């Protein structure tokens, strides 16, 4: 196992009615920016509940953070914080609102052009330089409620880029599983698949002697296989909802990534598909993931076997046979979860996508991706072309 440090300061508050704790979690006399998305929180009464618990605080609202949050929109919030002297941000939403707030938090005191935070992937490590923030999660999927990463889209250049750093963990996250009741089915499907893929990015690599991380990963995967198809049909079932929400957080709160090299190439390629075609994040992962495992088969086959045997109970006579069956089973799980697994099912205008992505990675100076840095740009091309 590799050496590691485990640092996660987020106060994670889970369960029904936990929003009641909101006022006690905010710093006394905080001047709060209440940040949210396109308005779902007005339809499911979350806005009403939040404002009820904020009544003793001075609050300014900032709505309109879009899915795949845009730099251009977020900079408006940065200006408001500077002029209004906001001291705390409350993100109420899914991964997009929370990610957007992480960017805002870092950008307010950033000296220089804020777009460089994304272009140069600035890491925020000094807690005194960022605006503290908490979250109320409304969509289990990304794990953003308990990690310090974020993904932001620059609309002007159609790029989707990451930022992060240890200063960008939420101070607290209130995670009430009943919030999923108002999510449309396709968003629930997205949530399950995003969480599932987060585990695969960290687990489906090569044998790394991290026995506990593997078992925890397999536990999350098995739980998602068991509850995923059911929770999208029965989001009011608290047993399903609570296990789904906890799986999504555990999939990307840093725990299973400790001590191992992880992949993330499915995400890096997937982000390009969202930036180019607006395809939902999780759906890009379902299109790319299985083909990445096919192209990188030799490099990943031992772990594909472990995944197949332990998660799907697959039997076979050889490593190759079990590993191949594991990919087939993964595809059928993704399809069961309502995913398109080909780019041509999600967009029509895709013929030059592989070239475009490879050129972009080249421009950014990326030579190779993956846990062994062996997903070369030629492999990226092959993966994307296989995904058409
Ligand atoms: O904007 P509103 O009106 O709130 O509606 C949202 C949005 O349209 C809606 N929604 C959220 N909660 C709801 C609800 N509708 C009804 N009831 C509720 N309770 O759902 C839509 C999608 O929301 P969004 O926040 O975009 O979804 P998600 O949580 O999947 O976040 C996706 C973003 O997170 C990034 C993705 O790239 C993407 O930009 N990711 C962030 C990660 C991280 N920070 O660690 C890791 C992930 O891999 C991912 O890249
Ligand atoms: Zn993801």
């Amino acid at each position: 196992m590799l050496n590691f440090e485990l640092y996660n300061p987020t106060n994670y508050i889970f369960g029904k009615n936990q929003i009641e704790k909101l006022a006690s979690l905010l710093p006394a006399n905080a001047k709060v920016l209440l940040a949210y998305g396109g308005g779902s929180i007005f339809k499911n009464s979350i806005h009403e509940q939040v404002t009820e618990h904020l009544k003793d605080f001075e609050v300014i609202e900032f709505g309109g953070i879009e899915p795949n949050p845009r730099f251009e929109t977020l900079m408006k919030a940065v200006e408001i914080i500077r002029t209004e002297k906001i001291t705390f941000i409350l993100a109420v939403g899914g991964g997009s609102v929370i990610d957007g707030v992480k960017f805002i938090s870092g950008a307010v005191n950033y000296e220089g052009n804020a777009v460089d935070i994304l272009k140069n992937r600035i890491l925020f490590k000094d807690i005194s330089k960022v605006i503290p923030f908490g979250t109320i999660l409304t969509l289990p999927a990304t794990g953003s409620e308990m990690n310090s990463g974020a993904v932001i889209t620059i609309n002007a250049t159609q790029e989707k880029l990451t930022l992060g750093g240890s200063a960008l963990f939420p101070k607290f996250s209130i995670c009430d599983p009943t919030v999923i009741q108002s999510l449309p089915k396709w968003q629930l499907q997205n949530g399950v698949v995003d969480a599932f893929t987060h585990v695969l990015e960290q687990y489906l690599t090569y044998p790394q002697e991290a026995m506990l991380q593997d078992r925890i990963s397999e536990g999350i995967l098995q739980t998602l296989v068991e509850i995923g198809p059911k929770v999208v049909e029965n989001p009011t079932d608290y047993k399903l909802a609570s296990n789904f929400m906890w799986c999504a957080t555990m999939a990307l709160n840093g725990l299973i990534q400790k001590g191992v090299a992880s992949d993330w190439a499915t995400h890096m390629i997937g982000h390009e598909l969202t930036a180019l075609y607006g395809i939902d994040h999780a759906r890009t992962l379902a299109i790319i993931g299985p083909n990445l495992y096919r192209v990188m088969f030799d490099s990943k086959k031992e772990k594909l076997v472990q995944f197949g045997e332990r998660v799907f109970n697959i039997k076979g006579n050889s490593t190759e046979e079990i590993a191949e069956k594991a990919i087939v089973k993964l595809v059928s799980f993704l399809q069961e979860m309502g995913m398109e697994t080909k780019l041509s099912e999600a967009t029509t205008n895709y013929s030059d996508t592989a070239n475009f992505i490879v050129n972009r990675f080249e421009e950014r100076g990326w030579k190779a991706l993956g846990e062994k840095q062996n997903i070369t740009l030629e492999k990226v091309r092959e993966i994307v072309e296989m995904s058409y």
Side-chain angles (χ1 to χ4, degrees):
M1 206 187 304
L2 304 173
N3 297 352
F4 66 85
E5 286 184 20
L6 174 57
Y7 172 76
N8 193 319
T10 300
N11 183 5
Y12 187 78
I13 299 151
F14 184 89
K16 284 181 192 167
N17 304 322
Q18 296 303 293
I19 205 166
E20 287 169 1
K21 295 183 180 153
L22 177 59
S24 68
L25 294 161
L26 294 167
N29 305 319
K31 185 168 179 185
V32 180
L33 186 81
L34 169 56
Y36 53 85
S40 70
I41 64 165
F42 291 96
K43 295 185 194 137
N44 54 16
S45 88
I46 294 176
H47 181 269
E48 206 179 312
Q49 294 173 52
V50 171
T51 45
E52 169 66 21
H53 292 289
L54 288 178
K55 61 180 185 306
D56 295 332
F57 294 85
E58 196 179 341
V59 179
I60 292 179
E61 298 201 10
F62 183 82
I65 298 178
E66 49 284 278
N68 308 306
R70 292 179 182 173
F71 166 77
E72 291 84 351
T73 305
L74 303 172
M75 285 310 290
K76 294 179 188 159
V78 169
E79 273 318 305
I80 293 173
I81 292 181
R82 286 175 182 157
T83 46
E84 297 289 339
K85 310 246 177 303
I86 297 285
T87 60
F88 196 91
I89 317 172
L90 182 63
V92 185
S96 292
V97 173
I98 300 175
D99 281 13
V101 163
K102 287 176 183 172
F103 175 85
I104 296 165
S105 163
V108 170
N109 295 321
Y110 183 75
E111 289 164 13
N113 188 344
V115 82
D116 291 341
I117 295 172
L118 302 168
K119 299 263 187 198
N120 301 336
R121 201 170 181 273
I122 298 294
L123 292 180
F124 291 89
K125 294 181 178 164
D126 184 347
I127 201 92
S128 69
K129 296 261 171 66
V130 306
I131 307 295
F133 64 95
T135 88
I136 296 178
L137 180 67
T138 66
L139 196 177
T142 63
S144 190
E145 66 279 7
M146 202 180 179
N147 69 39
S148 61
V151 195
I152 306 298
T153 298
I154 306 173
N155 200 37
T157 50
Q158 275 193 308
E159 286 176 282
K160 206 175 170 201
L161 299 169
T162 57
L163 76 145
S166 57
L168 291 184
F169 281 97
K171 291 279 175 214
F172 63 82
S173 283
I174 298 178
C175 301
D176 177 343
T178 63
V179 296
I180 75 162
Q181 292 175 15
S182 58
L183 279 165
K185 184 172 171 180
W186 56 279
Q187 284 293 356
L188 291 160
Q189 293 170 329
N190 285 352
V192 172
V193 170
D194 194 21
F196 197 86
T197 309
H198 292 158
V199 180
L200 295 183
E201 295 273 29
Q202 299 161 92
Y203 162 86
L204 227 171
T205 54
Y206 58 92
Q208 299 192 53
E209 301 176 352
M211 295 165 70
L212 180 60
Q213 292 88 323
D214 277 3
R215 293 287 186 188
I216 296 171
S217 298
E218 288 151 3
I220 300 168
L221 294 172
Q222 283 177 311
T223 309
L224 288 171
V225 168
E226 186 178 336
I227 66 172
K230 294 181 196 155
V231 77
V232 302
E233 300 298 337
N234 307 294
T236 55
D237 181 323
Y238 190 72
K239 177 178 158 191
L240 297 172
S242 53
N243 281 287
F244 168 36
M245 188 173 259
W246 184 219
C247 277
T249 299
M250 284 294 287
L252 197 49
N253 64 0
L255 190 64
I256 60 173
Q257 190 156 356
K258 294 299 158 197
V260 296
S262 46
D263 184 345
W264 295 111
T266 298
H267 270 70
M268 298 328 268
I269 301 170
H271 289 331
E272 297 304 318
L273 298 184
T274 303
L276 283 171
Y277 306 117
I279 303 170
D280 286 356
H281 171 63
R283 287 167 198 269
T284 69
L285 308 175
I287 291 167
I288 297 296
N291 293 317
L292 186 142
Y293 303 138
R294 289 188 178 107
V295 171
M296 301 310 296
F297 189 82
D298 284 336
S299 184
K300 286 181 180 281
K301 64 184 173 194
E302 282 86 7
K303 225 42 197 293
L304 278 165
V305 169
Q306 187 177 322
F307 168 60
E309 287 179 339
R310 292 190 186 176
V311 176
F312 290 126
N313 206 17
I314 291 170
K315 308 258 185 294
N317 295 318
S318 68
T319 299
E320 279 69 20
E321 186 192 341
I322 301 170
E324 274 162 21
K325 282 185 179 170
I327 299 175
V328 171
K329 188 74 191 161
L330 169 63
V331 172
S332 49
F333 174 66
L334 294 170
Q335 287 168 340
E336 188 186 358
M337 291 309 308
M339 295 290 118
E340 301 80 26
T341 50
K342 289 194 174 82
L343 190 52
S344 50
E345 293 167 353
T347 181
T348 47
N349 186 20
Y350 55 84
S351 58
D352 206 30
T353 311
N355 268 335
F356 188 87
I357 293 178
V358 167
N359 288 342
R360 252 203 176 162
F361 286 1
E362 233 162 16
E363 278 164 27
R364 286 185 202 144
W366 298 1
K367 294 193 171 55
L369 308 173
E371 67 277 5
K372 292 182 186 165
Q373 290 288 291
N374 61 353
I375 308 180
T376 59
L377 297 189
E378 272 322 297
K379 299 265 189 222
V380 170
R381 183 189 304 283
E382 210 182 324
I383 292 162
V384 178
E385 283 176 352
M386 195 182 274
S387 305
Y388 287 175

